Amino acid sequence: MTTPRVKDLIPIPALEESRRLLVVQAHPDDADIGAGATIAKLAASGVDITLLTVTDGGVGYLDASVPPQEVARMRHREAQEAAHTLGITNPLLWLDFPDGGSLPLFEVRAGITRAIRQTKPDTVMVMDPWLLYEAHSDHRCVGLATAEACLLANFPHFCPQDLEAGIGPHQVNAVAFYGTARPNTFIDVTDTWNTKMAAIMKHESQFPEESREIFTAYLTAKARELAEGRGFELAEAFKVVTHIHLHFNVDTEQY
């Protein structure tokens, strides 16, 4: 009898088999950049997708004459247009915490937990908080808060205010981290790459015309690099794990 390998005991879920997806991002353009082509591909295949943005995006603008409140309104509008481009039809969710690196982890975690319990996704997608050299604490905080929410949202006494409001627990099956340096899942996005780029360009406040060429060239070159040897032209990469991999599991890094 062959002894099973540790990896075989807890297999990695297939991202493309998701039927209901919650995409979490710190800022209104994060998911478009990190996973937009995959989101578009899943949306086209009939996956029910909800997009949750944690901050109002009010800091990410270079013109000091425009107040943060106006920047936030601008970015809300851009996010709606980008989501429509990707094929997301559900209303966008916003926690509207202030942008700029001062997020309260436990409050963010509570907001994400409630969104998980309300939308009941089988898969949650978020930026990898363990990305080496990631300097923006909004990204780290949101990724970590999301991972913890995915781990604990099925426990009824975690964030008990939800139970008191009649919102029951929910078990997430898979967490897909985009913007990761340790991917284990590569999605063929050749057919939806142009859709991703069109969605990114809806965020006009973030990508002035003079910077678009180099930014799009970088993203496309990286997508080609990720696809090398896989039989397709362009790829997006994810670290996909189950909730079991997110707690006291010394093997998760190796998956």
Side-chain angles (χ1 to χ4, degrees):
M1 180 176 178
T2 302
T3 302
R5 300 183 308 159
V6 170
K7 285 187 177 182
D8 297 331
L9 297 175
I10 315 173
I12 295 301
L15 178 55
E16 291 184 87
E17 293 180 4
S18 304
R19 300 319 306 157
R20 184 171 291 169
L21 173 69
L22 175 64
V23 180
V24 183
Q25 58 183 2
H27 309 106
D29 58 345
D30 289 344
D32 297 338
I33 296 170
T38 299
I39 294 169
K41 183 174 185 175
L42 294 176
S45 72
V47 178
D48 184 271
I49 303 175
T50 300
L51 177 63
L52 170 65
T53 306
V54 171
T55 77
D56 61 11
V59 168
Y61 196 55
L62 295 175
D63 187 347
S65 69
V66 181
Q69 297 85 349
E70 179 57 33
V71 175
R73 284 192 289 271
M74 183 191 314
R75 300 203 69 189
H76 274 237
R77 183 177 64 254
E78 292 172 345
Q80 182 63 61
E81 293 175 358
H84 178 76
T85 299
L86 293 180
I88 298 173
T89 58
N90 287 331
L92 272 59
L93 303 181
W94 297 83
L95 298 184
D96 274 333
F97 284 96
D99 187 11
S102 58
L103 290 177
L105 174 63
F106 299 130
E107 293 178 37
V108 171
R109 186 185 65 182
I112 296 169
T113 298
R114 175 161 289 201
I116 288 172
R117 289 169 170 172
Q118 289 176 322
T119 62
K120 302 190 181 308
D122 49 61
T123 302
V124 173
M125 185 180 286
V126 72
M127 185 171 182
D128 190 341
W130 296 285
L131 179 64
L132 194 61
Y133 301 117
E134 174 52 62
H136 204 319
S137 63
D138 284 354
H139 291 164
R140 300 195 306 271
C141 177
V142 170
L144 189 60
T146 302
E148 193 165 358
C150 291
L151 174 67
L152 299 174
N154 196 42
F155 291 85
H157 297 302
F158 177 70
C159 294
Q161 64 271 22
D162 291 347
L163 198 62
E164 295 165 5
I167 303 170
H170 175 72
Q171 182 65 72
V172 173
N173 295 331
V175 185
F177 294 104
Y178 58 84
T180 182
R182 295 184 179 275
N184 60 11
T185 298
F186 298 84
I187 304 297
D188 179 1
V189 294
T190 307
D191 293 339
T192 54
W193 189 254
N194 288 339
T195 304
K196 169 194 175 94
M197 302 312 294
I200 289 174
M201 290 305 111
K202 295 296 183 181
H203 300 279
E204 293 182 7
S205 66
Q206 304 304 293
F207 302 102
E209 189 171 350
E210 60 271 17
S211 67
R212 291 180 186 181
E213 184 175 350
I214 184 63
F215 183 77
T216 57
Y218 168 79
L219 289 181
T220 303
K222 186 61 181 178
R224 291 186 189 281
E225 181 181 287
L226 291 169
E228 285 179 5
R230 303 184 187 279
F232 42 86
E233 183 180 352
L234 299 166
E236 286 182 335
F238 301 84
K239 177 78 165 186
V240 180
V241 298
T242 70
H243 68 282
I244 297 172
H245 295 102
L246 294 173
H247 181 237
F248 218 117
N249 193 318
V250 298
D251 296 297
T252 300
E253 184 178 351
Q254 307 303 321
Y255 273 77

